[in-house]
PDB file of all heavy atoms in Angstrom:
ATOM      1  N   GLU A 183     -13.303   2.075  -1.219  1.00 94.00           N
ATOM      2  CA  GLU A 183     -14.304   1.654  -0.339  1.00 94.00           C
ATOM      3  C   GLU A 183     -14.118   0.154   0.189  1.00 94.00           C
ATOM      4  O   GLU A 183     -15.093  -0.341   0.835  1.00 94.00           O
ATOM      5  CB  GLU A 183     -15.785   1.808  -0.818  1.00 94.00           C
ATOM      6  CG  GLU A 183     -15.991   3.306  -1.234  1.00 94.00           C
ATOM      7  CD  GLU A 183     -17.471   3.489  -1.618  1.00 94.00           C
ATOM      8  OE1 GLU A 183     -18.333   3.518  -0.735  1.00 94.00           O
ATOM      9  OE2 GLU A 183     -17.794   3.631  -2.767  1.00 94.00           O
ATOM     10  N   TYR A 184     -13.153  -0.530  -0.244  1.00 94.00           N
ATOM     11  CA  TYR A 184     -12.744  -1.876   0.270  1.00 94.00           C
ATOM     12  C   TYR A 184     -11.238  -2.008   0.144  1.00 94.00           C
ATOM     13  O   TYR A 184     -10.659  -1.270  -0.474  1.00 94.00           O
ATOM     14  CB  TYR A 184     -13.590  -2.819  -0.480  1.00 94.00           C
ATOM     15  CG  TYR A 184     -13.372  -3.053  -1.947  1.00 94.00           C
ATOM     16  CD1 TYR A 184     -12.431  -3.968  -2.486  1.00 94.00           C
ATOM     17  CD2 TYR A 184     -13.813  -2.064  -2.905  1.00 94.00           C
ATOM     18  CE1 TYR A 184     -12.203  -4.073  -3.848  1.00 94.00           C
ATOM     19  CE2 TYR A 184     -13.481  -2.101  -4.271  1.00 94.00           C
ATOM     20  CZ  TYR A 184     -12.680  -3.257  -4.751  1.00 94.00           C
ATOM     21  OH  TYR A 184     -12.443  -3.270  -6.041  1.00 94.00           O
ATOM     22  N   CYS A 185     -10.817  -3.107   0.842  1.00 93.00           N
ATOM     23  CA  CYS A 185      -9.406  -3.276   0.867  1.00 93.00           C
ATOM     24  C   CYS A 185      -8.810  -3.375  -0.450  1.00 93.00           C
ATOM     25  O   CYS A 185      -7.750  -2.771  -0.840  1.00 93.00           O
ATOM     26  CB  CYS A 185      -9.033  -4.522   1.682  1.00 93.00           C
ATOM     27  SG  CYS A 185      -7.260  -4.895   1.962  1.00 93.00           S
ATOM     28  N   GLY A 186      -9.318  -4.226  -1.386  1.00 95.00           N
ATOM     29  CA  GLY A 186      -8.770  -4.346  -2.678  1.00 95.00           C
ATOM     30  C   GLY A 186      -9.116  -5.581  -3.363  1.00 95.00           C
ATOM     31  O   GLY A 186      -9.335  -5.759  -4.528  1.00 95.00           O
ATOM     32  N   CYS A 187      -8.996  -6.743  -2.717  1.00 97.00           N
ATOM     33  CA  CYS A 187      -9.241  -8.016  -3.358  1.00 97.00           C
ATOM     34  C   CYS A 187     -10.794  -8.374  -3.680  1.00 97.00           C
ATOM     35  O   CYS A 187     -11.588  -7.806  -3.097  1.00 97.00           O
ATOM     36  CB  CYS A 187      -8.609  -9.131  -2.645  1.00 97.00           C
ATOM     37  SG  CYS A 187      -9.399  -9.787  -1.158  1.00 97.00           S
ATOM     38  N   ALA A 188     -10.909  -9.431  -4.429  1.00 98.00           N
ATOM     39  CA  ALA A 188     -12.238  -9.909  -4.856  1.00 98.00           C
ATOM     40  C   ALA A 188     -13.084 -10.234  -3.605  1.00 98.00           C
ATOM     41  O   ALA A 188     -14.292  -9.994  -3.553  1.00 98.00           O
ATOM     42  CB  ALA A 188     -12.181 -10.990  -5.763  1.00 98.00           C
ATOM     43  N   TYR A 189     -12.493 -10.861  -2.655  1.00 97.00           N
ATOM     44  CA  TYR A 189     -13.122 -11.371  -1.495  1.00 97.00           C
ATOM     45  C   TYR A 189     -13.440 -10.286  -0.529  1.00 97.00           C
ATOM     46  O   TYR A 189     -14.528 -10.253   0.171  1.00 97.00           O
ATOM     47  CB  TYR A 189     -12.306 -12.481  -0.747  1.00 97.00           C
ATOM     48  CG  TYR A 189     -11.829 -13.486  -1.899  1.00 97.00           C
ATOM     49  CD1 TYR A 189     -10.521 -13.754  -2.060  1.00 97.00           C
ATOM     50  CD2 TYR A 189     -12.817 -14.088  -2.592  1.00 97.00           C
ATOM     51  CE1 TYR A 189     -10.111 -14.577  -3.049  1.00 97.00           C
ATOM     52  CE2 TYR A 189     -12.397 -15.137  -3.604  1.00 97.00           C
ATOM     53  CZ  TYR A 189     -11.049 -15.382  -3.710  1.00 97.00           C
ATOM     54  OH  TYR A 189     -10.650 -16.311  -4.750  1.00 97.00           O
ATOM     55  N   SER A 190     -12.589  -9.269  -0.542  1.00 97.00           N
ATOM     56  CA  SER A 190     -12.859  -8.084   0.238  1.00 97.00           C
ATOM     57  C   SER A 190     -14.129  -7.260  -0.232  1.00 97.00           C
ATOM     58  O   SER A 190     -14.945  -6.731   0.507  1.00 97.00           O
ATOM     59  CB  SER A 190     -11.653  -7.174   0.356  1.00 97.00           C
ATOM     60  OG  SER A 190     -12.030  -5.895   0.943  1.00 97.00           O
ATOM     61  N   LEU A 191     -14.119  -7.185  -1.615  1.00 97.00           N
ATOM     62  CA  LEU A 191     -15.239  -6.514  -2.197  1.00 97.00           C
ATOM     63  C   LEU A 191     -16.526  -7.317  -1.981  1.00 97.00           C
ATOM     64  O   LEU A 191     -17.657  -6.710  -1.634  1.00 97.00           O
ATOM     65  CB  LEU A 191     -14.979  -6.476  -3.793  1.00 97.00           C
ATOM     66  CG  LEU A 191     -16.167  -5.894  -4.620  1.00 97.00           C
ATOM     67  CD1 LEU A 191     -16.421  -4.513  -4.186  1.00 97.00           C
ATOM     68  CD2 LEU A 191     -15.764  -5.973  -6.014  1.00 97.00           C
ATOM     69  N   ARG A 192     -16.479  -8.665  -2.095  1.00 97.00           N
ATOM     70  CA  ARG A 192     -17.661  -9.563  -1.820  1.00 97.00           C
ATOM     71  C   ARG A 192     -18.121  -9.279  -0.431  1.00 97.00           C
ATOM     72  O   ARG A 192     -19.336  -9.030  -0.159  1.00 97.00           O
ATOM     73  CB  ARG A 192     -17.263 -10.958  -1.999  1.00 97.00           C
ATOM     74  CG  ARG A 192     -18.363 -12.008  -1.586  1.00 97.00           C
ATOM     75  CD  ARG A 192     -17.673 -13.392  -1.358  1.00 97.00           C
ATOM     76  NE  ARG A 192     -16.731 -13.260  -0.153  1.00 97.00           N
ATOM     77  CZ  ARG A 192     -15.800 -14.208   0.075  1.00 97.00           C
ATOM     78  NH1 ARG A 192     -15.552 -15.167  -0.821  1.00 97.00           N
ATOM     79  NH2 ARG A 192     -15.028 -14.145   1.079  1.00 97.00           N
ATOM     80  N   ASP A 193     -17.270  -9.429   0.571  1.00 97.00           N
ATOM     81  CA  ASP A 193     -17.642  -9.352   2.005  1.00 97.00           C
ATOM     82  C   ASP A 193     -18.113  -7.853   2.372  1.00 97.00           C
ATOM     83  O   ASP A 193     -19.073  -7.759   3.125  1.00 97.00           O
ATOM     84  CB  ASP A 193     -16.444  -9.589   2.911  1.00 97.00           C
ATOM     85  CG  ASP A 193     -16.175 -11.150   2.819  1.00 97.00           C
ATOM     86  OD1 ASP A 193     -16.996 -11.883   2.275  1.00 97.00           O
ATOM     87  OD2 ASP A 193     -15.064 -11.538   3.168  1.00 97.00           O
ATOM     88  N   THR A 194     -17.483  -6.814   1.764  1.00 97.00           N
ATOM     89  CA  THR A 194     -17.904  -5.459   1.986  1.00 97.00           C
ATOM     90  C   THR A 194     -19.353  -5.177   1.469  1.00 97.00           C
ATOM     91  O   THR A 194     -20.233  -4.619   2.174  1.00 97.00           O
ATOM     92  CB  THR A 194     -16.998  -4.437   1.416  1.00 97.00           C
ATOM     93  OG1 THR A 194     -15.634  -4.667   1.946  1.00 97.00           O
ATOM     94  CG2 THR A 194     -17.363  -2.940   1.733  1.00 97.00           C
ATOM     95  N   ASN A 195     -19.586  -5.792   0.285  1.00 97.00           N
ATOM     96  CA  ASN A 195     -20.988  -5.554  -0.300  1.00 97.00           C
ATOM     97  C   ASN A 195     -22.023  -6.331   0.426  1.00 97.00           C
ATOM     98  O   ASN A 195     -23.136  -5.923   0.661  1.00 97.00           O
ATOM     99  CB  ASN A 195     -21.067  -6.033  -1.797  1.00 97.00           C
ATOM    100  CG  ASN A 195     -20.555  -4.885  -2.692  1.00 97.00           C
ATOM    101  OD1 ASN A 195     -20.715  -3.670  -2.405  1.00 97.00           O
ATOM    102  ND2 ASN A 195     -19.921  -5.238  -3.856  1.00 97.00           N
TER     103      ASN A 195
END
Side-chain angles (χ1 to χ4, degrees):
E183 298 189 80
Y184 63 104
C185 180
C187 77
Y189 310 119
S190 171
L191 177 59
R192 174 201 65 199
D193 293 343
T194 301
N195 277 332

